[in-house]
Amino acid sequence: GARYYLGWGYRGKKNYAKGIENFKKFMTLANGRDDVQADQLGHANRGIALMLYEQKKYAEAMPYLEKLLASDRNDKQIQWSVASAAMQLKNDAKAAKHLAEVIRLDPNMDAAYYYSGMIALRAQDIPKARTHLEKFLQLKPADRRSGSVHGLLCPLTYNADDHDAANGSSRFDDDGA
């Protein structure tokens, strides 16, 4: 049991190597023991996952994060961590899937809309990109990324034919004006 508490203590001091070492040792020693509660094993796994993630060791963190999601897919922090790690690992499909879950869990999380919109844009899914980037702007209009998002949205939303039709003219009218 002491290794469990040492893991959290070292995490609190940001000594991630020692924290991970103690959590892993705890999990090894606790395996198959009846006196160890399942929630402690889950929390140790979470500690390892988050410490690896915070060190930007995304590939190492992924199996621990996925194990956490297998037990609770409604954990927004872990869904976000998987999405972020997947983006860092250049796995847009996985990132998009988990960003959709983050949006389902928290429809007001502006960053999820931003990244989902950017991934959709790379995939050339223009309707989804436009919808998510517009939602991002609604939620966070003064964000430092807002100017570039407006710049991205302009060519996605502007249709000259629709604009001209609304004004009762044609782009091809030549009346000398």
Side-chain angles (χ1 to χ4, degrees):
R3 296 277 183 174
Y4 174 78
Y5 296 105
L6 285 170
W8 287 114
Y10 283 118
R11 181 173 192 257
K13 293 181 178 191
K14 297 197 183 297
N15 186 339
Y16 297 136
K18 288 276 194 187
I20 291 167
E21 174 188 325
N22 278 283
F23 278 137
K24 284 183 176 180
K25 186 74 171 174
F26 166 75
M27 292 171 77
T28 300
L29 293 171
N31 192 18
R33 288 186 35 196
D34 293 336
D35 62 329
V36 176
Q37 298 195 5
D39 65 331
Q40 281 186 310
L41 288 170
H43 289 133
N45 185 72
R46 184 183 193 88
I48 293 169
L50 294 176
M51 284 188 279
L52 288 169
Y53 176 84
E54 289 167 11
Q55 293 178 87
K56 299 180 179 8
K57 295 181 177 181
Y58 303 115
E60 278 184 73
M62 197 62 82
Y64 293 97
L65 293 167
E66 289 173 339
K67 186 175 180 181
L68 291 168
L69 283 182
S71 65
D72 182 7
R73 67 173 280 221
N74 291 322
D75 187 326
K76 182 180 81 170
Q77 180 185 18
I78 300 302
Q79 288 283 4
W80 175 254
S81 297
V82 171
S84 298
M87 284 186 283
Q88 294 299 319
L89 296 170
K90 308 285 190 247
N91 187 339
D92 280 357
K94 184 176 203 149
K97 173 185 167 192
H98 291 281
L99 286 168
E101 287 297 309
V102 171
I103 290 168
R104 179 184 66 80
L105 295 167
D106 184 355
N108 293 313
M109 188 170 178
D110 57 272
Y113 286 101
Y114 174 79
Y115 290 112
S116 180
M118 296 304 287
I119 289 169
L121 190 59
R122 279 196 298 273
Q124 298 181 5
D125 183 348
I126 302 307
K128 182 176 182 178
R130 182 179 9 200
T131 300
H132 284 228
L133 291 172
E134 286 173 348
K135 181 68 173 180
F136 163 74
L137 289 173
Q138 282 179 344
L139 293 170
K140 198 90 173 209
D143 188 273
R144 63 180 171 76
R145 299 168 288 196
S146 295
S148 62
V149 170
H150 281 290
L152 289 170
L153 282 173
C154 190
L156 299 179
T157 57
Y158 180 73
N159 181 325
D161 290 333
D162 291 343
H163 179 267
D164 290 339
N167 290 317
S169 64
S170 169
R171 289 185 291 155
F172 303 107
D173 286 348
D174 186 9
D175 60 3

